[in-house]
Amino acid sequence: MSAHPGAGGTSAPAPEITVVGSLNMDIRLTVDRIPRSGETISATGLKRSPGGKGANQAVAAARLGRRVAMVGAVGDDDAGREITARLVAEGLDVSSVDVSGHPTGTAVILWEQPESTIVIEAGANGDVDEEFVDSRDAAVRAVADAQVVLCQCETPLGSLAAVARLATGTTILNPAPAVPVPAEIRDRFDVLVPNRFELATLAGATEAPEALADVVAMVRGLAFPGDVVVTLGSDGSVVVPRDGGPTAVPAVRVDAIDTTAAGDSFCAALADGLLRGEDLVGAARWASRVAALTTTRDGAIESLPLADEVPALPQGPTPEH
């Protein structure tokens, strides 16, 4: 495995946000409905574009004006070259994006407006483990020097262990897609940002909580030593700090057309808000605005807004549960 041609040098300023995560080529099929098992249906549209939760969060943060470094891997193929070129064009430091002997990760998205069903083949993302981060000087610097490090679960959990050990700034874990994350790794992060389904997976529950009180009770049951922000889709989010009571953050009401990258833009905006000096509730309110605008646009990376595009959208009343 080698550094990607065109990767940045070591003299660049330290990143404000480093994202350790996945880089995929998204293949999105627009469908009228999700097919049943064994059924073949016709798509009404096809779109191919760079994506992956890591890439989405990194680009989202860069578009909000942050200096961002990406740690990840792509294949030695056209998809990998296209993804890396896109990250460079978005202003990211890609000195820690390496070329793998495996093909670039692929996500097949069945888009049933506004929701998506996604199947992922990890490909090169499977290389981004603990040794990957530890053995690359550029990756170690990117993690250790960043003010915020943002991670997800589309790469091996060993990468999370490396981040927790190396990072000196605030660490944020978005445990998506939903996988059981061992407490000894999870509890070394400062902020946890699951949705209600990912929260249930972390808690070992068979059903996701619906009522706000049940969400908070499940968070408390994790005994997570840091802060938790649970995203609840159209119900907004709830901030459960390590000290003090929970705060419900209402959703921003918009006409959503595509929710694909909403969670990723929320996480990036949460990191951006914390860097701006907001407390966790203030950062969550800002993240809600960014995520809401994201859902009004088609696509993943294409839908991510610039900071000055986020209007003063009205937030709805605190949802009743």
Side-chain angles (χ1 to χ4, degrees), residues 28 30 46-47 49 63 111 113-114 116 255-261 293-304:
R28 193 183 74 173
T30 304
L46 169 66
K47 187 173 186 178
S49 60
R63 289 191 180 177
W111 184 45
Q113 185 175 343
S116 299
D255 293 324
I257 65 169
D258 188 354
T259 63
T260 302
L293 183 55
T294 301
T295 69
T296 67
R297 300 172 172 183
D298 185 15
I301 281 181
E302 299 86 349
S303 69
L304 302 170

Side-chain angles (χ1 to χ4, degrees), residues 83-111:
I83 291 169
T84 306
R86 181 60 179 271
L87 298 182
V88 171
E90 296 284 350
L92 274 68
D93 176 356
V94 297
S95 58
S96 296
V97 174
D98 279 11
V99 177
S100 167
H102 299 102
T104 298
T106 301
V108 177
I109 303 166
L110 300 182
W111 184 45

Side-chain angles (χ1 to χ4, degrees), residues 48 53-54 106 129 197 201 203 213 233 247 252 260 273 276 285 291 295:
R48 180 180 179 277
K53 297 194 76 63
T106 301
D129 55 12
F197 304 103
T201 298
T247 301
V252 176
T260 302
R276 292 195 303 175
R285 291 186 182 278
T295 69

Side-chain angles (χ1 to χ4, degrees), residues 85-293:
R86 181 60 179 271
L87 298 182
V88 171
E90 296 284 350
L92 274 68
D93 176 356
V94 297
S95 58
S96 296
V97 174
D98 279 11
V99 177
S100 167
H102 299 102
T104 298
T106 301
V108 177
I109 303 166
L110 300 182
W111 184 45
E112 185 185 21
Q113 185 175 343
E115 301 293 338
S116 299
T117 300
I118 304 173
V119 180
I120 297 171
E121 202 289 311
N125 295 310
D127 293 334
V128 186
D129 55 12
E130 188 166 7
E131 181 183 2
F132 179 99
V133 178
D134 281 340
S135 63
R136 288 158 176 78
D137 289 344
V140 170
R141 285 194 302 272
V143 172
D145 294 348
Q147 296 175 54
V148 176
V149 183
L150 184 54
C151 299
Q152 326 80 37
C153 294
E154 285 184 345
T155 55
L157 297 183
S159 64
L160 307 183
V163 166
R165 180 166 31 80
L166 294 169
T168 59
T170 300
T171 52
I172 301 176
L173 173 59
N174 171 219
V179 295
V181 180
E184 59 266 26
I185 295 177
R186 179 196 71 202
D187 290 356
R188 295 170 67 187
F189 280 76
D190 298 310
V191 184
L192 192 64
V193 191
N195 64 24
R196 54 165 53 99
F197 304 103
E198 294 148 6
L199 174 63
T201 298
L202 293 176
T206 56
E207 294 186 4
E210 291 295 332
L212 184 60
D214 293 336
V215 172
V216 174
M218 190 170 286
V219 170
R220 297 298 192 202
L222 291 177
F224 179 69
D227 301 315
V228 182
V229 181
V230 184
T231 57
L232 304 171
S234 61
D235 291 332
S237 61
V238 58
V239 176
V240 186
R242 67 190 78 190
D243 299 313
T247 301
V249 176
V252 176
R253 305 304 179 189
V254 295
D255 293 324
I257 65 169
D258 188 354
T259 63
T260 302
D264 295 329
S265 66
F266 184 98
C267 291
L270 188 77
D272 173 64
L274 293 175
L275 285 172
R276 292 195 303 175
E278 300 274 5
D279 62 15
L280 201 59
V281 172
R285 291 186 182 278
W286 168 243
S288 293
R289 296 181 184 279
V290 174
L293 183 55

